[in-house]
Amino acid sequence: MRSPCTREASQACFHNFCQLPSEPQSPTSITTVSASRHVLEVVMGSLIYPNSQFTNHESLPSLQESFSNFTKAFPQYSQTDQADKIREQEYYHLSLSNHVCFDYIGHGLFSYSQQRSHSWEAPFASTSSASPPSRQYSSGLEPPFFDISYKAANLHSQIQYGGQMSELEYEMQKRIMALMNLSEDDYTMVFTANQLSAFKLVADSYPFQSNQNLLTVYDYENEAVEVMIESSKNKGARVMSAEFSWPSLTLKSGKLLKKVRRKRKNKRGLFVFPLQSRMTGARYSYLWMTMAQENGWHVLLDACGLGPKDMETLGLSLFKPDFLVCSFFKVFGENPSGFCCLFVKKSSSSILKDSTGTCIVRLVPARRPSQISEELANDDVDTEEITKQEINVDDNLQVSSSGPIFRQQTSEVTSDPQEIKEISVKHEAPEIEESVASFESSKSQIIAGYGIGHSHLECRGLDHADSLGLILISARARYLINWLVNALMSLQHPHSENRNPLVRIYGPKVKFDRGPAVAFNVFDWKGEKIDPSIVQKLADRNNISLSKGFLFHIWFPDEYEHEREQIIETRTSKGGKVLNGKREKLHSGISVVTASLGFLTNFEDIYRLWAFVSRFLDADFVEKERWRYTALNQMTIEV
């Protein structure tokens, strides 16, 4: 008898998560999947506002009418109401704050209700806000769950010798390994600050001097990938990238296949592969991993853009990458800080080399501000040194949707495990060291404060995803993202000569097997693109958090070559700074607005985004917003 996890994994593959265009399929499978796709396309085309084009934001149907039409088109959506109940009971701050979050990437560990019951009172914090609101701690309660501190150890030594783990770290590792359906016999897990830190760890430790190729599959600019590319080039690696064909931005499979099957099979290099684009929602087949491994590549699977149940049912018993990276945040819609996990397959760990850096972190008990004040007040001798270290930590930790953003550091690192332990103690601030000691001496008391009882870590965010299951979560996301895409494409400028659309979608549009993310731009009545930064800022004023991105590696066929100059922008990843005596390479691509949906997203969220975007149908909307904020003595935005 198969386990529930295995059954769900096979069902995921059946629903085209694991499909490669050239792979053989049974006639029944093809018929069923094709029929499901056809039904979805028919429903989207004929039942959701058939032949409707909205030219005025005031002409949009109401939320109630839209939801009624939506549920008639997708009666199965009512079967996902358990997600709405979880949101109402455990994440009620989303309704109280009236804020919509489309900017979270990663996987939530805890629920807001869990945080409130164990920690503090905190107002809503958006990940895209320039200055998050200040937070007030409840009297006598511990801050939420944990903090992170950097650990002076390199990846090779950490995997080879390991290290002493706190109870919190052990429980967190066990819970995440269970979520990923990974065995400790096969993989070693390392905590890092974020995705960038994890990629840098691998890049600094991977033997690019001998395995001289790096092949990436990304349709968007990713800071972590850029750091890996820079590190690999410093070791003499040849960097290659997959390309994506305009206008659909589909993966050019033929070109990628040629790169994967290059000669000198035993000296390939590192193949870095996401299962889906976290910008456009495009999905790629698992079988690319197998193909790469069969041709001598080591594979790094980037799972940061996947949903929690997608991660659990990755089918890693069939597809075993050499490295796997995924990120976690604390509480959806409230606390975006967290950490990232890097998994290294034990049978592949021997290829890693010693490196320098401080990308590995440890989880430590969070402390109340009153505790910090008392420690500083009672330590007259070391106050200045402690302050310097805290400033340095604050300067290198910056909140993002997937955890603190890492800024490059250097420090001396040794491969000797005893010396590593000593350096780690020396580099930690005294107050952190004291907290760790306190944590180790009174585990049972502290553990209860973290939402852990009887030495068991309670991650309600992950538990909620488990209770819903892959099929329900993926079906709910499919209905919502396709409705949103269809609704955005229904907006048309009035009185324009060519009936210009307000919105352009990049990547997959209405599609059965697309991911729950969409990349788009808004255009004015003259057909000129509105700066994504302006769209993002105006959305934030309307309590909607969006993200920005940069699509690149775009290949234009001859028949679309005339569009290139109108569409493509040229920019540098860090504003044209000169690094190591060389100016950064220019990137050609398209800046876009992005929205990501999670299993807590509901219909009202996507309707509000549609209603907001429709306001750009008013040719004076941006100017009106500028003057409205000026009249209210608010800070204006650059337009």
Side-chain angles (χ1 to χ4, degrees):
M1 180 178 293
R2 293 183 300 172
S3 68
C5 181
T6 305
R7 285 199 301 274
E8 283 202 290
S10 64
Q11 287 174 303
C13 289
F14 171 76
H15 285 290
N16 204 41
F17 285 95
C18 304
Q19 182 181 342
L20 190 69
S22 59
E23 69 179 284
Q25 298 180 356
S26 69
T28 303
S29 175
I30 294 175
T31 302
T32 305
V33 174
S34 298
S36 299
R37 290 175 176 168
H38 178 69
V39 168
L40 177 73
E41 292 170 1
V42 169
V43 166
M44 297 305 298
S46 62
L47 296 181
I48 304 293
Y49 309 124
N51 303 315
S52 295
Q53 292 182 344
F54 299 98
T55 59
N56 188 319
H57 71 278
E58 295 179 349
S59 67
L60 265 58
S62 66
L63 170 62
Q64 292 74 18
E65 181 184 349
S66 297
F67 184 65
S68 176
N69 290 334
F70 175 75
T71 52
K72 288 177 183 177
F74 299 112
Q76 303 92 334
Y77 181 79
S78 62
Q79 299 172 10
T80 72
D81 62 347
Q82 183 61 30
D84 296 310
K85 293 177 182 178
I86 290 174
R87 173 171 168 149
E88 181 181 356
Q89 295 170 2
E90 296 283 341
Y91 302 88
Y92 49 86
H93 65 296
L94 298 174
S95 298
L96 294 175
S97 65
N98 196 35
H99 204 111
V100 180
C101 301
F102 292 116
D103 59 344
Y104 274 73
I105 297 295
H107 316 284
L109 293 168
F110 312 110
S111 73
Y112 180 78
S113 175
Q114 182 183 9
Q115 173 178 282
R116 282 290 299 271
S117 64
H118 288 289
S119 53
W120 57 1
E121 306 245 353
F124 177 85
S126 165
T127 61
S128 65
S129 299
S131 54
S134 59
R135 294 167 174 167
Q136 301 297 323
Y137 290 84
S138 300
S139 176
L141 295 177
E142 295 291 334
F145 312 113
F146 62 85
D147 286 331
I148 65 172
S149 67
Y150 281 95
K151 182 177 180 180
N154 65 62
L155 181 59
H156 178 256
S157 298
Q158 179 69 22
I159 292 174
Q160 186 174 2
Y161 301 110
Q164 189 174 11
M165 298 178 66
S166 67
E167 184 78 13
L168 172 62
E169 289 173 312
Y170 173 76
E171 289 293 325
M172 188 68 76
Q173 174 180 285
K174 186 168 68 173
R175 180 65 181 91
I176 291 175
M177 294 286 275
L179 172 76
M180 302 290 293
N181 196 28
L182 293 173
S183 169
E184 293 184 24
D185 295 333
D186 297 326
Y187 285 89
T188 299
M189 189 181 107
V190 175
F191 292 106
T192 70
N194 50 39
Q195 183 194 28
L196 190 153
S197 298
F199 273 52
K200 180 171 172 54
L201 267 178
V202 175
D204 289 349
S205 305
Y206 189 79
F208 284 112
Q209 296 90 339
S210 56
N211 297 16
Q212 295 181 342
N213 293 297
L214 173 64
L215 176 55
T216 64
V217 186
Y218 287 81
D219 62 1
Y220 64 95
E221 186 178 72
N222 183 302
E223 187 179 5
V225 176
E226 294 301 312
V227 167
M228 175 172 279
I229 289 174
E230 183 70 21
S231 177
S232 66
K233 284 183 176 179
N234 291 338
K235 297 179 181 180
R238 175 182 178 180
V239 178
M240 300 176 287
S241 301
E243 293 182 335
F244 303 86
S245 181
W246 182 264
S248 62
L249 295 187
T250 52
L251 178 65
K252 286 190 66 62
S253 300
K255 282 192 173 182
L256 180 58
L257 193 59
K258 289 180 180 179
K259 292 175 180 178
V260 169
R261 290 176 173 172
R262 289 173 57 84
K263 296 180 180 179
R264 298 184 64 190
K265 181 176 179 179
N266 61 334
K267 294 294 182 182
R268 289 287 193 253
L270 186 62
F271 180 70
V272 184
F273 177 74
L275 280 168
Q276 75 178 30
S277 168
R278 59 194 250 186
M279 293 285 176
T280 65
R283 280 182 168 153
Y284 315 117
S285 171
Y286 280 89
L287 296 186
W288 283 111
M289 289 193 292
T290 300
M291 194 176 300
Q293 288 178 324
E294 288 176 349
N295 283 273
W297 295 83
H298 293 107
V299 174
L300 186 155
L301 174 59
D302 179 2
C304 291
L306 297 180
K309 291 302 292 182
D310 291 337
M311 294 170 61
E312 185 186 59
T313 56
L314 280 174
L316 293 176
S317 59
L318 300 175
F319 307 97
K320 289 188 175 180
D322 302 279
F323 308 96
L324 190 149
V325 176
C326 62
S327 57
F328 298 85
F329 55 85
K330 289 180 182 175
V331 180
F332 178 76
E334 200 284 326
N335 195 331
S337 65
F339 56 79
C340 189
C341 292
L342 168 63
F343 299 88
V344 180
K345 189 162 66 172
K346 290 185 176 180
S347 60
S348 303
S349 62
S350 60
I351 66 170
L352 299 176
K353 307 299 181 183
D354 286 337
S355 60
T356 60
T358 54
C359 296
I360 298 176
V361 300
R362 64 182 305 172
L363 307 186
V364 298
R367 294 161 299 130
R368 296 193 305 271
S370 59
Q371 289 178 307
I372 300 174
S373 299
E374 291 173 5
E375 290 165 4
L376 295 178
N378 293 332
D379 196 345
D380 296 332
V381 178
D382 294 330
T383 297
E384 182 177 352
E385 182 62 28
I386 292 172
T387 304
K388 288 180 180 178
Q389 293 187 41
E390 288 196 334
I391 291 174
N392 184 57
V393 170
D394 290 340
D395 186 55
N396 288 282
L397 292 178
Q398 185 176 334
V399 169
S400 76
S401 60
S402 59
I405 296 174
F406 175 80
R407 295 180 184 173
Q408 188 170 347
Q409 298 178 336
T410 57
S411 64
E412 290 186 15
V413 180
T414 175
S415 60
D416 184 88
Q418 184 60 36
E419 292 184 30
I420 290 174
K421 184 175 180 181
E422 293 175 358
I423 292 177
S424 179
V425 172
K426 284 194 293 183
H427 281 235
E428 287 177 358
E431 66 271 23
I432 294 178
E433 181 182 347
E434 190 173 319
S435 294
V436 174
S438 174
F439 177 69
E440 294 294 342
S441 64
S442 56
K443 289 178 181 177
S444 59
Q445 298 177 7
I446 297 292
I447 286 174
Y450 287 99
I452 310 170
H454 306 292
S455 298
H456 174 70
L457 177 66
E458 183 183 19
C459 293
R460 286 191 199 169
L462 303 182
D463 294 342
H464 293 149
D466 284 339
S467 67
L468 295 174
L470 171 65
I471 304 304
L472 185 149
I473 290 175
S474 60
R476 180 182 176 93
R478 183 182 302 116
Y479 303 144
L480 292 174
I481 191 64
N482 280 291
W483 186 94
L484 175 61
V485 169
N486 188 75
L488 290 174
M489 292 192 301
S490 71
L491 302 175
Q492 302 281 336
H493 280 291
H495 314 305
S496 58
E497 294 181 4
N498 299 320
R499 203 72 168 174
N500 293 331
L502 176 69
V503 174
R504 179 161 199 167
I505 306 292
Y506 301 94
K509 298 179 176 58
V510 174
K511 191 175 182 181
F512 179 81
D513 55 350
R514 63 164 295 135
V518 59
F520 66 95
N521 272 319
V522 180
F523 293 81
D524 63 21
W525 65 275
K526 295 179 290 186
E528 296 179 0
K529 185 172 77 174
I530 298 174
D531 188 342
S533 296
I534 293 177
V535 177
Q536 183 189 41
K537 290 176 182 178
L538 291 179
D540 199 56
R541 289 181 179 180
N542 287 269
N543 285 339
I544 299 173
S545 294
L546 299 171
S547 297
K548 296 183 300 178
F550 190 71
L551 303 177
F552 67 166
H553 297 146
I554 302 172
W555 178 82
F556 283 81
D558 292 340
E559 61 265 33
Y560 292 104
E561 191 62 35
H562 66 282
E563 295 186 19
R564 174 188 284 273
E565 292 185 5
Q566 302 174 0
I567 296 170
I568 293 296
E569 318 160 25
T570 301
R571 57 171 250 184
T572 59
S573 58
K574 297 183 178 65
K577 294 180 180 178
V578 176
L579 299 176
N580 300 324
K582 298 180 180 179
R583 184 169 293 277
E584 284 189 283
K585 180 181 178 181
L586 294 175
H587 293 300
S588 296
I590 306 170
S591 56
V592 295
V593 181
T594 67
S596 299
L597 280 59
F599 75 88
L600 292 173
T601 303
N602 62 17
F603 182 81
E604 183 178 354
D605 292 340
I606 61 172
Y607 177 87
R608 284 184 57 187
L609 177 56
W610 182 43
F612 162 72
V613 173
S614 72
R615 296 180 66 186
F616 287 90
L617 290 170
D618 179 354
D620 298 322
F621 172 59
V622 175
E623 196 64 23
K624 288 177 181 177
E625 285 295 296
R626 184 213 297 252
W627 286 109
R628 184 172 74 87
Y629 261 64
T630 301
L632 293 173
N633 294 319
Q634 301 292 328
M635 183 180 296
T636 60
I637 63 173
E638 296 295 329
V639 295

